[in-house]
């Protein structure tokens, strides 16, 4: 991934007339046309035919050639119009209006009105971003200021723009199968209620029905929308009911930010037996990401009182995210001959405050903390550095209330580094020489939003600040910076890590070496600016780039085993 910051054009930059009321643009356009248009807007985000503003205008305004050429003349290289934020906000607006059977406007009028309406959403984004400078660190603190700018400009939509749909499908499938197996064993009544909602009797049948939608996401050629029709067979009513439960309700009000309603309901019913995919990413992430939240926010509230969990989310993060996903995929990602100590094993020896996972290979120790957290939608979408940094700080660093500090991952890792130094965990491992030990702290996250630009830099800056309070008394050979990695990378790259085709510790070392602005070697100023932007990529993104450059595959050997779970 190469970081690019292109200029997004707004209404004022292309039209001299003021922005009209949204309803004025939408009046007289049929629901069918609007729904097809919004699907086209969303898919256009990854369509080369709409990549630049010039391409967009050329392909959008086919019925208005004079206006098309006039507007194209106002664009410059690197300008864009289409973006996923405006497309999804426009989708929410369109879904809220009443049904209009027949258009009263001409095709040329509809083209222009929808184009101006779309630009008005770009204008709204510009207005929000115009306030960013009010919340940045001072200019004399250049490094922190750059981190703040990068974080503020991309955190809100990074997960919506940067993904490989095939990889997302694979990791969601793995995690979904593990989650349903966990439910079968530990929360069968929750699972039974969930499956009964979908009129299906087993997780295998639920998965098969859901995965049957996936071929629509991989068409032979680009399409403006993904539609499919339910066959009129003996399962017709059940299949329609299944899809209806995944579809957007007609009464949806879209009160929640970060497109929660669209994420939870990624289909749109467009006919008696016809359904349309609103956004391919949301459909794929429903397989696990959205389903797990539905258990926390809905199923656990409806299950019989005797089976209800007091705090489903907390229980889930500990017993599933950590004890199933983290333990399993770290174990599969590193050689068995290494010292492996999962958190529960520490507890069995009477320890508390333990690392979530401990690995040692000779003189190299890896300490892992897992945090299955997300920011609130309003925080994520704020584009306010103070809001974002405080929210991330509360998840990964510390919270302070009435003089009391609640320690999070960074401080927990440092305390465990100190314990390793003092051989506090001698019941599980003490066969190392402190003076020869290299320590690699790792923070595991479970959501792609934390792969956003500059998140790792911000979190590591806090880690390094705190490290200064400890380092003088330690005799380690070396303590490396803190890396933030998505659990998905252990799922995808487990074979390459375990066979040592790529050295995990080497990736950590090279990440900090190659992503230091002071180490940049550039041909000219423009080259320097581009390389400086690339420095803020996440550790997860860096891993993908490095493994790709070495021709290493991302599909693990155990994929077939997971597919067999569906039979």
């Amino acid at each position: 991934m190469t970081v690019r910051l292109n200029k997004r054009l707004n209404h004022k930059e292309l039209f001299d007339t003021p922005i009209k009321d949204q309803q004025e643009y939408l009046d007289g356009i049929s629901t069918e046309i609007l729904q097809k248009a919004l699907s086209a807007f969303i898919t256009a985000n990854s369509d080369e035919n709409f990549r630049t503003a010039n391409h967009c205008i050329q392909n959008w305004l086919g019925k208005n050639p004079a206006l098309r050429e006039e507007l194209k003349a106002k664009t410059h290289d690197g300008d864009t119009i289409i973006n996923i934020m405006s497309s999804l906000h426009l989708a929410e607006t369109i879904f809220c209006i009443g049904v209009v059977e027949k258009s009263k406007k001409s095709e040329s009028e509809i083209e222009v009105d929808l184009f101006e309406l779309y630009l008005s959403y770009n204008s709204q984004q510009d207005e929000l971003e115009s306030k960013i400078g009010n919340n940045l660190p001072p200019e004399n603190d250049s490094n922190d200021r750059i981190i703040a700018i990068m974080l503020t400009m991309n955190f809100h939509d990074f997960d919506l723009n940067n993904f490989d749909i095939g990889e997302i499908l694979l990791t969601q499938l793995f995690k979904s199968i593990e989650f349903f197996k966990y439910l079968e064993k530990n929360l069968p009544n929750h699972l039974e209620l969930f499956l009964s909602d979908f009129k299906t009797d087993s997780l295998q049948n639920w998965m098969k029905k859901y995965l049957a939608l996936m071929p629509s996401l991989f068409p032979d050629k680009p399409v403006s929308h993904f539609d499919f029709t339910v066959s009129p067979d003996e399962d017709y009513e059940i299949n329609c009911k299944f899809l209806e439960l995944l579809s957007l309700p007609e009464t949806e009000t879209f009160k929640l930010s970060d497109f929660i309603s669209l994420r939870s309901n990624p289909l749109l019913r467009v006919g008696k037996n016809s359904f349309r995919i609103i956004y391919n990413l949301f459909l794929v992430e429903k397989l696990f990401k959205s389903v797990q939240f539905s258990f926390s926010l809905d199923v656990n509230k409806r299950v019989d009182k005797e089976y209800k969990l007091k705090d489903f989310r907390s229980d889930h993060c500990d017993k599933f995210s950590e004890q199933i996903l983290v333990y399993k995929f770290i174990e599969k990602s590193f050689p068995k001959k290494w010292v492996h100590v999962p958190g529960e094993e520490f507890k069995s020896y009477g320890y508390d405050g333990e690392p979530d996972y401990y690995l040692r290979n000779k003189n190299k120790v890896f300490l892992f903390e897992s945090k299955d957290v997300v920011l609130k939608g309003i925080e994520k979408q704020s584009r306010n550095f103070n809001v974002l940094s405080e929210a991330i700080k509360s998840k990964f660093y510390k919270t302070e209330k009435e003089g009391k500090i609640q320690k999070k991952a960074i401080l927990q890792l440092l305390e465990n580094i100190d314990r390793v130094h003092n051989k506090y965990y001698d019941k599980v491992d003490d066969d190392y020489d402190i003076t020869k030990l290299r320590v690699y702290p790792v923070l595991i996250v479970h959501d792609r939003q934390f792969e956003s630009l500059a998140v790792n830099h911000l979190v590591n800056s806090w880690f390094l600040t705190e490290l200064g309070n400890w380092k003088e008394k330690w005799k380690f050979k070396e303590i490396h910076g803190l890396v933030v990695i998505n659990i998905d990378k252990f799922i995808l790259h487990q074979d390459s890590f375990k066979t040592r085709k790529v050295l995990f510790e080497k990736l950590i070392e090279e990440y900090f070496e190659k992503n230091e602005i002071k180490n940049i070697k550039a041909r000219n100023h423009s080259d320097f600016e581009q390389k400086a932007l690339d420095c803020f990529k996440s550790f997860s993104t860096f891993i993908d780039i490095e493994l790709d450059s070495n021709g290493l595959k991302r599909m693990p050997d155990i994929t077939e085993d997971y597919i067999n779970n569906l039979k």
Side-chain angles (χ1 to χ4, degrees):
M1 180 200 74
T2 298
V3 180
R4 304 243 180 244
L5 295 178
N6 297 316
K7 179 176 174 56
R8 179 187 59 230
L9 298 182
N10 62 32
H11 189 277
K12 185 177 181 180
E13 289 164 322
L14 291 179
F15 289 91
D16 296 329
T17 55
I19 296 174
K20 303 175 188 175
D21 181 77
Q22 286 183 349
Q23 195 59 46
E24 192 172 342
Y25 289 120
L26 293 168
D27 281 343
I29 305 177
S30 73
T31 300
E32 180 183 3
I33 289 177
L34 287 175
Q35 290 179 349
K36 286 184 177 179
L38 72 87
S39 295
F41 299 152
I42 293 171
T43 57
N45 192 58
S46 56
D47 188 339
E48 282 296 306
N49 292 320
F50 291 84
R51 182 173 56 84
T52 68
N54 194 289
H55 286 128
C56 179
I57 294 169
Q58 177 66 32
N59 288 287
W60 192 316
L61 299 175
K63 302 293 183 181
N64 294 272
L67 177 62
R68 180 183 65 209
E69 297 308 311
E70 176 189 338
L71 297 183
K72 283 169 62 177
K74 296 182 179 181
T75 69
H76 301 87
D77 290 344
D79 288 351
T80 64
I81 292 174
I82 293 292
N83 63 93
I84 195 62
M85 293 297 292
S86 290
S87 296
L88 292 175
H89 279 305
L90 179 55
E92 290 184 331
T93 298
I94 289 174
F95 287 139
C96 282
I97 63 178
V99 175
V100 177
E101 296 291 345
K102 189 175 181 179
S103 294
K104 297 179 181 179
K105 292 177 179 176
S106 67
E107 289 185 24
S108 61
E109 289 176 317
I110 291 173
E111 267 189 1
V112 176
D113 279 352
L114 288 181
F115 187 65
E116 285 199 57
L117 176 60
Y118 195 97
L119 289 169
S120 75
Y121 280 92
N122 287 356
S123 297
Q124 289 177 18
Q125 290 197 69
D126 286 349
E127 183 178 353
L128 185 61
E129 290 171 1
S130 69
K131 303 172 184 176
I132 285 175
N134 299 335
N135 302 293
L136 297 177
E139 292 188 13
N140 58 0
D141 196 347
S142 60
N143 191 57
D144 285 352
R145 189 176 177 85
I146 294 173
I147 289 175
I149 292 171
M150 297 301 295
L151 184 70
T152 308
M153 291 296 291
N154 87 95
F155 192 87
H156 63 284
D157 66 355
F158 187 90
D159 61 325
L160 299 172
N161 283 314
N162 298 275
F163 60 89
D164 179 312
I165 197 67
E167 287 188 6
I168 298 292
L169 175 57
L170 186 63
T171 54
Q172 289 286 303
L173 177 62
F174 275 43
K175 291 187 286 189
S176 184
I177 290 173
E178 292 291 348
F179 182 53
F180 281 124
K181 286 163 61 178
Y182 164 78
L183 292 171
E184 267 189 323
K185 181 179 179 180
N186 299 283
L187 298 170
N189 298 93
H190 285 70
L191 179 58
E192 182 181 356
L193 178 58
F194 173 80
L195 293 175
S196 68
D197 288 342
F198 284 90
K199 308 299 180 185
T200 187
D201 58 354
S202 71
L203 69 91
Q204 286 84 1
N205 285 337
W206 187 91
M207 294 285 285
K208 287 177 182 177
K209 286 179 181 290
Y210 201 92
L211 291 174
L213 306 174
M214 296 304 136
S216 304
L217 304 181
F218 303 95
D220 295 330
K221 57 182 179 180
V223 294
S224 60
H225 54 270
F226 304 97
D227 282 2
F228 48 91
T229 302
V230 180
S231 301
D233 55 23
E234 66 273 12
D235 294 325
Y236 173 79
E237 293 295 335
I238 292 176
N239 289 336
C240 281
K241 179 63 176 177
F242 182 91
L243 296 175
E244 191 176 315
L245 286 168
L246 299 171
S247 300
L248 196 67
E250 292 182 0
T251 56
E252 182 57 58
T253 57
F254 301 100
K255 290 182 178 180
L256 298 176
S257 57
D258 197 32
F259 314 110
I260 297 300
S261 297
L262 298 179
R263 292 177 189 269
S264 302
N265 306 280
L267 300 182
L268 176 67
R269 192 164 195 166
V270 292
K272 182 179 178 181
N273 63 339
S274 299
F275 296 83
R276 180 171 298 152
I277 298 171
I278 296 173
Y279 187 23
N280 60 354
L281 174 64
F282 293 166
L283 179 65
V284 172
E285 289 195 324
K286 177 75 175 182
L287 191 56
F288 169 71
K289 180 178 178 178
S290 296
V291 162
Q292 63 167 337
F293 282 111
S294 73
F295 274 86
S296 175
L297 301 175
D298 176 42
V299 176
N300 188 58
K301 293 179 180 178
R302 292 189 291 116
V303 75
D304 289 346
K305 188 175 181 180
E306 61 186 301
Y307 305 118
K308 199 185 302 284
L309 297 179
K310 184 177 180 180
D311 188 339
F312 185 96
R313 180 67 182 159
S314 176
D315 196 77
H316 169 83
C317 293
D318 178 27
K319 295 179 180 176
F320 177 73
S321 301
E322 180 184 330
Q323 295 182 37
I324 301 294
L325 293 183
V326 171
Y327 290 6
K328 180 166 190 168
F329 290 110
I330 290 185
E331 181 183 359
K332 287 185 174 296
S333 296
F334 297 95
K336 288 185 179 180
K337 65 181 181 180
W338 289 20
V339 177
H340 286 251
V341 189
E344 288 300 298
E345 187 173 335
F346 281 102
K347 292 179 183 178
S348 71
Y349 283 93
Y351 296 116
D352 60 11
E354 72 290 337
D356 291 333
Y357 208 96
Y358 170 99
L359 274 177
R360 184 174 64 79
N361 176 34
K362 299 178 181 178
N363 295 319
K364 296 172 183 175
V365 166
F366 302 84
L367 293 174
F368 297 88
E369 278 294 325
S370 169
K371 297 298 178 188
D372 185 358
V373 296
V374 294
L375 300 197
K376 296 176 182 177
I378 195 169
E379 294 169 338
K380 181 186 173 189
Q381 295 297 333
S382 68
R383 303 191 209 190
N384 181 311
F385 178 67
N386 291 337
V387 172
L388 285 170
S389 60
E390 283 301 312
I392 295 171
K393 181 180 179 181
S394 71
K395 301 298 184 184
F396 301 137
Y397 186 6
K398 62 183 177 181
T399 58
E400 299 178 63
K401 187 175 182 180
E402 297 178 355
K404 295 182 179 179
I405 295 177
Q406 184 178 8
K407 299 173 182 178
K408 304 295 183 178
I410 290 173
L411 297 180
Q412 291 167 344
L413 280 166
L414 285 163
E415 288 193 349
N416 276 308
I417 292 172
D418 189 55
R419 289 180 170 189
V420 169
H421 181 272
N422 298 330
K423 294 199 173 184
Y424 176 82
Y425 296 122
D426 58 342
K427 294 178 184 177
V428 294
D429 185 33
D430 67 348
D431 189 21
Y432 54 84
D433 182 344
I434 296 167
T435 61
K436 296 180 180 179
L437 212 59
R438 297 178 184 272
V439 181
Y440 298 84
V442 181
L443 170 57
I444 299 175
V445 294
H446 295 255
D447 195 281
R448 292 187 306 107
Q449 64 182 230
F450 298 115
E451 293 182 29
S452 301
L453 303 178
V455 170
N456 205 135
H457 292 72
L458 179 63
V459 172
N460 187 51
S461 71
W462 292 328
F463 175 79
L464 294 178
T465 297
E466 291 290 342
L467 180 61
N469 299 324
W470 298 81
K471 203 169 183 179
E472 290 300 318
K473 69 173 186 175
W474 289 338
K475 299 177 181 178
F476 294 118
K477 183 170 184 177
E478 191 167 7
I479 303 169
H480 293 275
L482 174 60
V483 289
V484 181
I485 182 172
N486 189 334
I487 187 66
D488 290 3
K489 301 310 169 185
F490 289 118
I491 296 175
L492 292 169
H493 303 311
Q494 56 186 277
D495 297 332
S496 295
F497 292 153
K498 190 162 192 173
T499 58
R500 304 290 279 165
K501 290 179 180 177
V502 61
L503 305 183
F504 188 66
E505 63 271 30
K506 188 72 172 175
L507 288 171
I508 294 175
E509 294 166 12
E510 290 183 351
Y511 174 69
F512 290 110
E513 179 183 334
K514 293 182 178 181
N515 289 288
E516 280 280 353
I517 291 181
K518 64 182 181 182
N519 294 336
I520 292 176
K521 295 180 181 179
R523 297 185 302 272
N524 49 50
H525 183 70
S526 177
D527 187 38
F528 175 84
E529 285 186 338
Q530 182 58 59
K531 288 181 177 178
L533 288 175
D534 288 340
C535 280
F536 290 96
K537 68 175 72 74
S538 70
F539 181 56
S540 292
T541 301
F542 178 78
I543 289 174
D544 289 341
I545 293 171
E546 291 299 303
L547 269 67
D548 284 349
S549 68
N550 288 295
L552 296 173
K553 66 175 183 177
R554 300 191 188 186
M555 183 175 289
D557 292 340
I558 61 172
T559 301
E560 187 175 347
D561 295 337
Y562 278 82
I563 299 300
N564 288 334
N565 275 280
L566 304 178
K567 296 180 180 178

